[in-house]
């Protein structure tokens, strides 16, 4: 790879620093939202949990676990198409996220899409062949 040197002025350095600081603050806020969402999820308060995961995603849209957790809520609410969509968002960001593959399989199974469910379970088994929760 070739690298290009860039001359930074004092002003541009300050701008970069402030942007990094804001991103770190947003990431911290996003994690706090995720933790609140997790607490709601444990109590099966799925709608409240979804609201927290929505906030986390707004603050840090690249974090796969936020989509995965929201997918679990949608699965609990039997909103299978929403679950599938969030599982796909998770997989787009982290292809080896096994819980997303298993949730996606359960959602497809729940709406009668057996072939898609089978493919998702096969992918999960490929990621972790020792996972005993995945059956033939």
């Amino acid at each position: 790879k070739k690298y290009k040197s860039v001359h930074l002025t004092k002003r541009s350095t300050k701008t970069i620093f402030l942007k990094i600081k804001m991103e770190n603050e947003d990431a911290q806020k996003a994690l706090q939202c995720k933790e609140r969402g997790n607490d709601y999820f444990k109590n099966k308060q799925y709608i409240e949990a979804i609201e927290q995961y929505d906030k986390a995603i707004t603050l840090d849209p690249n974090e796969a676990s936020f989509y995965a957790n929201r997918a679990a809520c949608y699965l609990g609410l039997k909103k299978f198409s929403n679950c599938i969509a969030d599982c796909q968002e998770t997989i787009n960001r982290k292809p080896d996220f096994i819980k997303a593959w298993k949730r996606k399989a359960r959602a497809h199974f729940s709406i009668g899409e057996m072939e898609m469910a089978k493919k998702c379970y096969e992918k999960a088994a490929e990621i972790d062949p020792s996972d005993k929760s995945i059956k033939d």
Side-chain angles (χ1 to χ4, degrees), residues 37-70:
N38 292 349
D39 290 338
Y40 284 123
F41 180 81
K42 289 174 194 165
N43 293 312
K44 297 186 181 194
Q45 294 174 283
Y46 300 127
I47 293 170
E48 293 84 355
I50 288 169
E51 290 170 359
Q52 292 302 313
Y53 298 134
D54 285 344
K55 290 178 185 177
I57 289 167
T58 299
L59 292 163
D60 187 359
N62 295 315
E63 176 54 49
S65 67
F66 301 158
Y67 296 92
N69 289 5
R70 190 171 68 178

Side-chain angles (χ1 to χ4, degrees), residues 62-65 87-98 100-101 127:
N62 295 315
E63 176 54 49
S65 67
C87 287
Q88 190 57 53
E89 289 295 331
T90 304
I91 292 162
N92 291 345
R93 286 159 179 77
K94 191 171 182 208
D96 64 342
F97 203 120
I98 193 165
W101 285 106
I127 293 167

Side-chain angles (χ1 to χ4, degrees), residues 9-105:
T9 64
K10 194 173 191 179
R11 185 174 184 189
S12 63
T13 305
K14 185 176 181 181
T15 302
I16 291 168
F17 173 76
L18 290 174
K19 185 176 181 191
I20 292 169
K21 185 178 177 189
M22 280 179 34
E23 288 172 358
N24 286 339
E25 287 173 2
D26 284 349
Q28 282 298 104
K29 289 177 188 173
L31 287 174
Q32 290 169 350
C33 291
K34 178 186 176 185
E35 289 171 14
R36 284 193 295 274
N38 292 349
D39 290 338
Y40 284 123
F41 180 81
K42 289 174 194 165
N43 293 312
K44 297 186 181 194
Q45 294 174 283
Y46 300 127
I47 293 170
E48 293 84 355
I50 288 169
E51 290 170 359
Q52 292 302 313
Y53 298 134
D54 285 344
K55 290 178 185 177
I57 289 167
T58 299
L59 292 163
D60 187 359
N62 295 315
E63 176 54 49
S65 67
F66 301 158
Y67 296 92
N69 289 5
R70 190 171 68 178
C73 294
Y74 286 132
L75 193 60
L77 292 170
K78 299 183 187 323
K79 292 188 174 190
F80 302 118
S81 61
N82 295 57
C83 176
I84 291 167
D86 270 357
C87 287
Q88 190 57 53
E89 289 295 331
T90 304
I91 292 162
N92 291 345
R93 286 159 179 77
K94 191 171 182 208
D96 64 342
F97 203 120
I98 193 165
K99 285 183 181 180
W101 285 106
K102 293 192 306 188
R103 284 183 191 132
K104 190 175 180 187

